[in-house]
Amino acid sequence: MHCMNADLSDLLRLLQNLIRLGTIAQVNGAKARVQLGPQLTSEWLNWITPRAGSTCAWSAPTVGEQVIVISPGGDLTRGVILPALFSKAFDAPESSDTIHTTHYPDGAVVQYDHAVHILSASLPGGTAIITADKVTSDAPRTICTGDLTVMGNLVVQHDATVTGTAALNGGMTAKAGAAGGTTMTVEGSIKASDDVLAGAVSLAKHPHSGVKAGSDKSGGPL
């Protein structure tokens, strides 16, 4: 009878250890230890990631995060960590069923709301970097609410509206479109610190024909 009770006790322990809830106690790279009870902490176990092949995903668990430990055969030494469950320590950041979002500890948020078709990324005090041979924005309108600095050439094929000051440190070339017409229209004054050329005629230095003394007007510029 004693032997049977011992076998039953071992069986119940193995069944209990098949799936257990706990919280992350320590993290070291791709392994972590889980607090499974007041006096029970697991060995270093692998935590499950969506992809771990030629395509890899990485998002390490956080100390205090509630997780599930799955142990084949009830052997906790062979268990794996399945993140994660919302808890009092880490509550759900949203309540809407139309939002997919990722919140980061520095306050950054990447979010898409399919009900209103808005994709947003908030990076407080941060920098967004895109490295590619070519970036295409296929949108009817693109709005930049802050300063825009272009280190290379700026090529505008159609209309462009700048409501603030535009500084063109490398010069500017304007060309009429295929339909012809006026190349550039300026509403307001133009101030040049050097000279302005119309064809080969200098605004500041051009001579005039038909110059006479007195009150007569000179001819046009040469």
PDB file of all heavy atoms in Angstrom, residues 184-219:
ATOM      1  N   MET A 184       7.965  78.934 -63.113  1.00  0.00           N
ATOM      2  CA  MET A 184       7.860  79.276 -61.700  1.00  0.00           C
ATOM      3  C   MET A 184       7.074  80.564 -61.534  1.00  0.00           C
ATOM      4  O   MET A 184       7.287  81.525 -62.270  1.00  0.00           O
ATOM      5  CB  MET A 184       9.257  79.442 -61.081  1.00  0.00           C
ATOM      6  CG  MET A 184       9.241  79.781 -59.589  1.00  0.00           C
ATOM      7  SD  MET A 184      10.909  80.042 -58.917  1.00  0.00           S
ATOM      8  CE  MET A 184      11.592  78.397 -59.116  1.00  0.00           C
ATOM      9  N   THR A 185       6.177  80.583 -60.573  1.00  0.00           N
ATOM     10  CA  THR A 185       5.421  81.781 -60.226  1.00  0.00           C
ATOM     11  C   THR A 185       5.678  82.116 -58.771  1.00  0.00           C
ATOM     12  O   THR A 185       5.540  81.249 -57.898  1.00  0.00           O
ATOM     13  CB  THR A 185       3.907  81.567 -60.449  1.00  0.00           C
ATOM     14  OG1 THR A 185       3.675  81.265 -61.836  1.00  0.00           O
ATOM     15  CG2 THR A 185       3.123  82.809 -60.066  1.00  0.00           C
ATOM     16  N   VAL A 186       6.055  83.359 -58.506  1.00  0.00           N
ATOM     17  CA  VAL A 186       6.342  83.796 -57.144  1.00  0.00           C
ATOM     18  C   VAL A 186       5.358  84.889 -56.767  1.00  0.00           C
ATOM     19  O   VAL A 186       5.266  85.914 -57.444  1.00  0.00           O
ATOM     20  CB  VAL A 186       7.788  84.325 -57.016  1.00  0.00           C
ATOM     21  CG1 VAL A 186       8.047  84.811 -55.597  1.00  0.00           C
ATOM     22  CG2 VAL A 186       8.787  83.238 -57.408  1.00  0.00           C
ATOM     23  N   GLU A 187       4.599  84.664 -55.702  1.00  0.00           N
ATOM     24  CA  GLU A 187       3.686  85.689 -55.191  1.00  0.00           C
ATOM     25  C   GLU A 187       4.384  86.404 -54.042  1.00  0.00           C
ATOM     26  O   GLU A 187       4.467  85.899 -52.935  1.00  0.00           O
ATOM     27  CB  GLU A 187       2.376  85.046 -54.718  1.00  0.00           C
ATOM     28  CG  GLU A 187       1.576  84.391 -55.830  1.00  0.00           C
ATOM     29  CD  GLU A 187       0.265  83.811 -55.316  1.00  0.00           C
ATOM     30  OE1 GLU A 187      -0.017  83.992 -54.111  1.00  0.00           O
ATOM     31  OE2 GLU A 187      -0.454  83.188 -56.110  1.00  0.00           O
ATOM     32  N   GLY A 188       4.918  87.577 -54.309  1.00  0.00           N
ATOM     33  CA  GLY A 188       5.704  88.302 -53.326  1.00  0.00           C
ATOM     34  C   GLY A 188       7.017  88.740 -53.936  1.00  0.00           C
ATOM     35  O   GLY A 188       7.258  88.595 -55.141  1.00  0.00           O
ATOM     36  N   SER A 189       7.878  89.309 -53.142  1.00  0.00           N
ATOM     37  CA  SER A 189       9.147  89.846 -53.638  1.00  0.00           C
ATOM     38  C   SER A 189      10.230  88.776 -53.629  1.00  0.00           C
ATOM     39  O   SER A 189      10.148  87.787 -52.915  1.00  0.00           O
ATOM     40  CB  SER A 189       9.591  91.024 -52.770  1.00  0.00           C
ATOM     41  OG  SER A 189       9.777  90.606 -51.427  1.00  0.00           O
ATOM     42  N   ILE A 190      11.250  89.009 -54.460  1.00  0.00           N
ATOM     43  CA  ILE A 190      12.430  88.152 -54.516  1.00  0.00           C
ATOM     44  C   ILE A 190      13.643  89.024 -54.186  1.00  0.00           C
ATOM     45  O   ILE A 190      13.839  90.078 -54.793  1.00  0.00           O
ATOM     46  CB  ILE A 190      12.604  87.504 -55.900  1.00  0.00           C
ATOM     47  CG1 ILE A 190      11.425  86.585 -56.209  1.00  0.00           C
ATOM     48  CG2 ILE A 190      13.910  86.735 -55.969  1.00  0.00           C
ATOM     49  CD1 ILE A 190      11.490  85.940 -57.568  1.00  0.00           C
ATOM     50  N   LYS A 191      14.446  88.573 -53.259  1.00  0.00           N
ATOM     51  CA  LYS A 191      15.640  89.312 -52.865  1.00  0.00           C
ATOM     52  C   LYS A 191      16.860  88.461 -53.171  1.00  0.00           C
ATOM     53  O   LYS A 191      16.958  87.307 -52.738  1.00  0.00           O
ATOM     54  CB  LYS A 191      15.600  89.657 -51.373  1.00  0.00           C
ATOM     55  CG  LYS A 191      16.805  90.463 -50.900  1.00  0.00           C
ATOM     56  CD  LYS A 191      16.678  90.796 -49.413  1.00  0.00           C
ATOM     57  CE  LYS A 191      17.876  91.599 -48.933  1.00  0.00           C
ATOM     58  NZ  LYS A 191      17.781  91.913 -47.480  1.00  0.00           N
ATOM     59  N   ALA A 192      17.806  89.051 -53.962  1.00  0.00           N
ATOM     60  CA  ALA A 192      19.019  88.337 -54.329  1.00  0.00           C
ATOM     61  C   ALA A 192      20.218  89.101 -53.789  1.00  0.00           C
ATOM     62  O   ALA A 192      20.333  90.315 -53.982  1.00  0.00           O
ATOM     63  CB  ALA A 192      19.120  88.198 -55.840  1.00  0.00           C
ATOM     64  N   SER A 193      21.117  88.412 -53.102  1.00  0.00           N
ATOM     65  CA  SER A 193      22.308  89.071 -52.553  1.00  0.00           C
ATOM     66  C   SER A 193      23.371  89.266 -53.622  1.00  0.00           C
ATOM     67  O   SER A 193      24.309  90.045 -53.433  1.00  0.00           O
ATOM     68  CB  SER A 193      22.878  88.227 -51.401  1.00  0.00           C
ATOM     69  OG  SER A 193      23.265  86.941 -51.865  1.00  0.00           O
ATOM     70  N   ASP A 194      23.223  88.561 -54.768  1.00  0.00           N
ATOM     71  CA  ASP A 194      24.200  88.704 -55.841  1.00  0.00           C
ATOM     72  C   ASP A 194      23.519  89.264 -57.084  1.00  0.00           C
ATOM     73  O   ASP A 194      23.148  90.431 -57.120  1.00  0.00           O
ATOM     74  CB  ASP A 194      24.852  87.348 -56.131  1.00  0.00           C
ATOM     75  CG  ASP A 194      26.113  87.466 -56.978  1.00  0.00           C
ATOM     76  OD1 ASP A 194      26.365  88.572 -57.497  1.00  0.00           O
ATOM     77  OD2 ASP A 194      26.822  86.462 -57.134  1.00  0.00           O
ATOM     78  N   ASP A 195      23.290  88.498 -58.087  1.00  0.00           N
ATOM     79  CA  ASP A 195      22.756  88.995 -59.353  1.00  0.00           C
ATOM     80  C   ASP A 195      21.611  88.090 -59.796  1.00  0.00           C
ATOM     81  O   ASP A 195      21.449  86.971 -59.317  1.00  0.00           O
ATOM     82  CB  ASP A 195      23.849  89.010 -60.419  1.00  0.00           C
ATOM     83  CG  ASP A 195      23.510  89.923 -61.587  1.00  0.00           C
ATOM     84  OD1 ASP A 195      22.388  90.452 -61.619  1.00  0.00           O
ATOM     85  OD2 ASP A 195      24.362  90.083 -62.470  1.00  0.00           O
ATOM     86  N   VAL A 196      20.811  88.583 -60.731  1.00  0.00           N
ATOM     87  CA  VAL A 196      19.732  87.820 -61.346  1.00  0.00           C
ATOM     88  C   VAL A 196      19.909  87.896 -62.850  1.00  0.00           C
ATOM     89  O   VAL A 196      20.083  88.985 -63.398  1.00  0.00           O
ATOM     90  CB  VAL A 196      18.342  88.364 -60.940  1.00  0.00           C
ATOM     91  CG1 VAL A 196      17.249  87.589 -61.667  1.00  0.00           C
ATOM     92  CG2 VAL A 196      18.151  88.275 -59.431  1.00  0.00           C
ATOM     93  N   LEU A 197      19.884  86.751 -63.527  1.00  0.00           N
ATOM     94  CA  LEU A 197      20.050  86.710 -64.978  1.00  0.00           C
ATOM     95  C   LEU A 197      18.742  86.314 -65.637  1.00  0.00           C
ATOM     96  O   LEU A 197      18.073  85.378 -65.213  1.00  0.00           O
ATOM     97  CB  LEU A 197      21.134  85.710 -65.369  1.00  0.00           C
ATOM     98  CG  LEU A 197      22.564  86.000 -64.882  1.00  0.00           C
ATOM     99  CD1 LEU A 197      23.480  84.857 -65.303  1.00  0.00           C
ATOM    100  CD2 LEU A 197      23.064  87.324 -65.445  1.00  0.00           C
ATOM    101  N   ALA A 198      18.367  87.055 -66.706  1.00  0.00           N
ATOM    102  CA  ALA A 198      17.257  86.693 -67.566  1.00  0.00           C
ATOM    103  C   ALA A 198      17.857  86.394 -68.929  1.00  0.00           C
ATOM    104  O   ALA A 198      18.183  87.304 -69.686  1.00  0.00           O
ATOM    105  CB  ALA A 198      16.236  87.819 -67.648  1.00  0.00           C
ATOM    106  N   GLY A 199      18.034  85.111 -69.236  1.00  0.00           N
ATOM    107  CA  GLY A 199      18.806  84.756 -70.416  1.00  0.00           C
ATOM    108  C   GLY A 199      20.269  85.134 -70.154  1.00  0.00           C
ATOM    109  O   GLY A 199      20.884  84.701 -69.197  1.00  0.00           O
ATOM    110  N   ALA A 200      20.832  86.008 -71.042  1.00  0.00           N
ATOM    111  CA  ALA A 200      22.199  86.479 -70.839  1.00  0.00           C
ATOM    112  C   ALA A 200      22.236  87.877 -70.240  1.00  0.00           C
ATOM    113  O   ALA A 200      23.308  88.494 -70.131  1.00  0.00           O
ATOM    114  CB  ALA A 200      22.952  86.455 -72.175  1.00  0.00           C
ATOM    115  N   VAL A 201      21.092  88.444 -69.870  1.00  0.00           N
ATOM    116  CA  VAL A 201      21.008  89.823 -69.382  1.00  0.00           C
ATOM    117  C   VAL A 201      21.140  89.837 -67.870  1.00  0.00           C
ATOM    118  O   VAL A 201      20.370  89.187 -67.147  1.00  0.00           O
ATOM    119  CB  VAL A 201      19.683  90.483 -69.817  1.00  0.00           C
ATOM    120  CG1 VAL A 201      19.601  91.897 -69.273  1.00  0.00           C
ATOM    121  CG2 VAL A 201      19.581  90.488 -71.332  1.00  0.00           C
ATOM    122  N   SER A 202      22.100  90.606 -67.365  1.00  0.00           N
ATOM    123  CA  SER A 202      22.315  90.753 -65.931  1.00  0.00           C
ATOM    124  C   SER A 202      21.416  91.857 -65.391  1.00  0.00           C
ATOM    125  O   SER A 202      21.389  92.970 -65.938  1.00  0.00           O
ATOM    126  CB  SER A 202      23.787  91.082 -65.660  1.00  0.00           C
ATOM    127  OG  SER A 202      23.960  91.555 -64.349  1.00  0.00           O
ATOM    128  N   LEU A 203      20.688  91.560 -64.303  1.00  0.00           N
ATOM    129  CA  LEU A 203      19.830  92.576 -63.698  1.00  0.00           C
ATOM    130  C   LEU A 203      20.661  93.676 -63.049  1.00  0.00           C
ATOM    131  O   LEU A 203      20.312  94.860 -63.113  1.00  0.00           O
ATOM    132  CB  LEU A 203      18.904  91.930 -62.664  1.00  0.00           C
ATOM    133  CG  LEU A 203      17.975  92.868 -61.907  1.00  0.00           C
ATOM    134  CD1 LEU A 203      16.991  93.534 -62.868  1.00  0.00           C
ATOM    135  CD2 LEU A 203      17.218  92.119 -60.807  1.00  0.00           C
ATOM    136  N   ALA A 204      21.757  93.314 -62.462  1.00  0.00           N
ATOM    137  CA  ALA A 204      22.565  94.299 -61.730  1.00  0.00           C
ATOM    138  C   ALA A 204      23.558  95.042 -62.624  1.00  0.00           C
ATOM    139  O   ALA A 204      23.925  96.179 -62.334  1.00  0.00           O
ATOM    140  CB  ALA A 204      23.322  93.604 -60.596  1.00  0.00           C
ATOM    141  N   LYS A 205      23.999  94.431 -63.737  1.00  0.00           N
ATOM    142  CA  LYS A 205      25.117  94.996 -64.489  1.00  0.00           C
ATOM    143  C   LYS A 205      24.813  95.254 -65.964  1.00  0.00           C
ATOM    144  O   LYS A 205      25.694  95.640 -66.722  1.00  0.00           O
ATOM    145  CB  LYS A 205      26.317  94.040 -64.397  1.00  0.00           C
ATOM    146  CG  LYS A 205      26.742  93.732 -62.963  1.00  0.00           C
ATOM    147  CD  LYS A 205      27.809  92.652 -62.927  1.00  0.00           C
ATOM    148  CE  LYS A 205      28.177  92.285 -61.500  1.00  0.00           C
ATOM    149  NZ  LYS A 205      29.186  91.194 -61.434  1.00  0.00           N
ATOM    150  N   HIS A 206      23.568  95.055 -66.417  1.00  0.00           N
ATOM    151  CA  HIS A 206      23.316  95.181 -67.855  1.00  0.00           C
ATOM    152  C   HIS A 206      23.364  96.649 -68.291  1.00  0.00           C
ATOM    153  O   HIS A 206      22.917  97.539 -67.562  1.00  0.00           O
ATOM    154  CB  HIS A 206      21.951  94.568 -68.207  1.00  0.00           C
ATOM    155  CG  HIS A 206      20.787  95.300 -67.597  1.00  0.00           C
ATOM    156  ND1 HIS A 206      20.208  94.929 -66.406  1.00  0.00           N
ATOM    157  CD2 HIS A 206      20.090  96.387 -68.040  1.00  0.00           C
ATOM    158  CE1 HIS A 206      19.211  95.749 -66.123  1.00  0.00           C
ATOM    159  NE2 HIS A 206      19.118  96.648 -67.103  1.00  0.00           N
ATOM    160  N   PRO A 207      23.895  96.921 -69.510  1.00  0.00           N
ATOM    161  CA  PRO A 207      23.872  98.283 -70.068  1.00  0.00           C
ATOM    162  C   PRO A 207      22.556  98.530 -70.802  1.00  0.00           C
ATOM    163  O   PRO A 207      21.772  97.599 -71.034  1.00  0.00           O
ATOM    164  CB  PRO A 207      25.046  98.260 -71.040  1.00  0.00           C
ATOM    165  CG  PRO A 207      25.092  96.836 -71.511  1.00  0.00           C
ATOM    166  CD  PRO A 207      24.674  95.998 -70.339  1.00  0.00           C
ATOM    167  N   HIS A 208      22.291  99.794 -71.145  1.00  0.00           N
ATOM    168  CA  HIS A 208      21.086 100.171 -71.877  1.00  0.00           C
ATOM    169  C   HIS A 208      21.469 100.849 -73.191  1.00  0.00           C
ATOM    170  O   HIS A 208      22.505 101.501 -73.301  1.00  0.00           O
ATOM    171  CB  HIS A 208      20.231 101.128 -71.041  1.00  0.00           C
ATOM    172  CG  HIS A 208      19.501 100.444 -69.919  1.00  0.00           C
ATOM    173  ND1 HIS A 208      18.163 100.149 -69.965  1.00  0.00           N
ATOM    174  CD2 HIS A 208      19.951  99.995 -68.720  1.00  0.00           C
ATOM    175  CE1 HIS A 208      17.808  99.560 -68.839  1.00  0.00           C
ATOM    176  NE2 HIS A 208      18.876  99.450 -68.068  1.00  0.00           N
ATOM    177  N   SER A 209      20.593 100.726 -74.181  1.00  0.00           N
ATOM    178  CA  SER A 209      20.789 101.428 -75.448  1.00  0.00           C
ATOM    179  C   SER A 209      20.027 102.754 -75.416  1.00  0.00           C
ATOM    180  O   SER A 209      19.146 102.956 -74.579  1.00  0.00           O
ATOM    181  CB  SER A 209      20.283 100.555 -76.612  1.00  0.00           C
ATOM    182  OG  SER A 209      18.881 100.335 -76.482  1.00  0.00           O
ATOM    183  N   GLY A 210      20.354 103.630 -76.338  1.00  0.00           N
ATOM    184  CA  GLY A 210      19.625 104.882 -76.497  1.00  0.00           C
ATOM    185  C   GLY A 210      19.702 105.777 -75.271  1.00  0.00           C
ATOM    186  O   GLY A 210      18.719 106.440 -74.920  1.00  0.00           O
ATOM    187  N   VAL A 211      20.850 105.845 -74.635  1.00  0.00           N
ATOM    188  CA  VAL A 211      20.992 106.685 -73.443  1.00  0.00           C
ATOM    189  C   VAL A 211      21.142 108.140 -73.863  1.00  0.00           C
ATOM    190  O   VAL A 211      21.962 108.477 -74.711  1.00  0.00           O
ATOM    191  CB  VAL A 211      22.198 106.235 -72.609  1.00  0.00           C
ATOM    192  CG1 VAL A 211      22.388 107.140 -71.414  1.00  0.00           C
ATOM    193  CG2 VAL A 211      22.018 104.796 -72.172  1.00  0.00           C
ATOM    194  N   LYS A 212      20.341 109.034 -73.273  1.00  0.00           N
ATOM    195  CA  LYS A 212      20.415 110.450 -73.556  1.00  0.00           C
ATOM    196  C   LYS A 212      20.470 111.228 -72.252  1.00  0.00           C
ATOM    197  O   LYS A 212      20.029 110.747 -71.207  1.00  0.00           O
ATOM    198  CB  LYS A 212      19.197 110.915 -74.364  1.00  0.00           C
ATOM    199  CG  LYS A 212      19.053 110.276 -75.731  1.00  0.00           C
ATOM    200  CD  LYS A 212      17.827 110.806 -76.442  1.00  0.00           C
ATOM    201  CE  LYS A 212      17.667 110.165 -77.810  1.00  0.00           C
ATOM    202  NZ  LYS A 212      16.472 110.667 -78.522  1.00  0.00           N
ATOM    203  N   ALA A 213      20.979 112.405 -72.350  1.00  0.00           N
ATOM    204  CA  ALA A 213      21.018 113.264 -71.163  1.00  0.00           C
ATOM    205  C   ALA A 213      19.647 113.848 -70.901  1.00  0.00           C
ATOM    206  O   ALA A 213      18.790 113.909 -71.771  1.00  0.00           O
ATOM    207  CB  ALA A 213      22.036 114.381 -71.370  1.00  0.00           C
ATOM    208  N   GLY A 214      19.420 114.286 -69.718  1.00  0.00           N
ATOM    209  CA  GLY A 214      18.161 114.957 -69.390  1.00  0.00           C
ATOM    210  C   GLY A 214      17.135 113.981 -68.858  1.00  0.00           C
ATOM    211  O   GLY A 214      17.456 112.963 -68.253  1.00  0.00           O
ATOM    212  N   SER A 215      15.861 114.272 -69.131  1.00  0.00           N
ATOM    213  CA  SER A 215      14.769 113.502 -68.544  1.00  0.00           C
ATOM    214  C   SER A 215      14.288 112.352 -69.427  1.00  0.00           C
ATOM    215  O   SER A 215      13.352 111.665 -69.077  1.00  0.00           O
ATOM    216  CB  SER A 215      13.587 114.423 -68.247  1.00  0.00           C
ATOM    217  OG  SER A 215      13.145 115.042 -69.466  1.00  0.00           O
ATOM    218  N   ASP A 216      14.919 112.146 -70.591  1.00  0.00           N
ATOM    219  CA  ASP A 216      14.502 111.056 -71.474  1.00  0.00           C
ATOM    220  C   ASP A 216      14.791 109.699 -70.823  1.00  0.00           C
ATOM    221  O   ASP A 216      15.753 109.529 -70.058  1.00  0.00           O
ATOM    222  CB  ASP A 216      15.242 111.130 -72.815  1.00  0.00           C
ATOM    223  CG  ASP A 216      14.742 112.291 -73.657  1.00  0.00           C
ATOM    224  OD1 ASP A 216      13.692 112.844 -73.299  1.00  0.00           O
ATOM    225  OD2 ASP A 216      15.414 112.599 -74.645  1.00  0.00           O
ATOM    226  N   LYS A 217      13.942 108.703 -71.121  1.00  0.00           N
ATOM    227  CA  LYS A 217      14.170 107.360 -70.631  1.00  0.00           C
ATOM    228  C   LYS A 217      15.102 106.618 -71.583  1.00  0.00           C
ATOM    229  O   LYS A 217      15.061 106.816 -72.791  1.00  0.00           O
ATOM    230  CB  LYS A 217      12.832 106.612 -70.529  1.00  0.00           C
ATOM    231  CG  LYS A 217      11.893 107.192 -69.468  1.00  0.00           C
ATOM    232  CD  LYS A 217      10.609 106.358 -69.385  1.00  0.00           C
ATOM    233  CE  LYS A 217       9.673 106.901 -68.313  1.00  0.00           C
ATOM    234  NZ  LYS A 217       8.409 106.129 -68.219  1.00  0.00           N
ATOM    235  N   SER A 218      15.905 105.772 -70.999  1.00  0.00           N
ATOM    236  CA  SER A 218      16.828 104.995 -71.819  1.00  0.00           C
ATOM    237  C   SER A 218      16.056 103.878 -72.526  1.00  0.00           C
ATOM    238  O   SER A 218      14.917 103.565 -72.204  1.00  0.00           O
ATOM    239  CB  SER A 218      17.912 104.384 -70.933  1.00  0.00           C
ATOM    240  OG  SER A 218      17.362 103.434 -70.058  1.00  0.00           O
ATOM    241  N   GLY A 219      16.738 103.241 -73.488  1.00  0.00           N
ATOM    242  CA  GLY A 219      16.151 102.087 -74.142  1.00  0.00           C
ATOM    243  C   GLY A 219      16.220 100.857 -73.237  1.00  0.00           C
ATOM    244  O   GLY A 219      16.659 100.924 -72.084  1.00  0.00           O
TER     245      GLY A 219
END
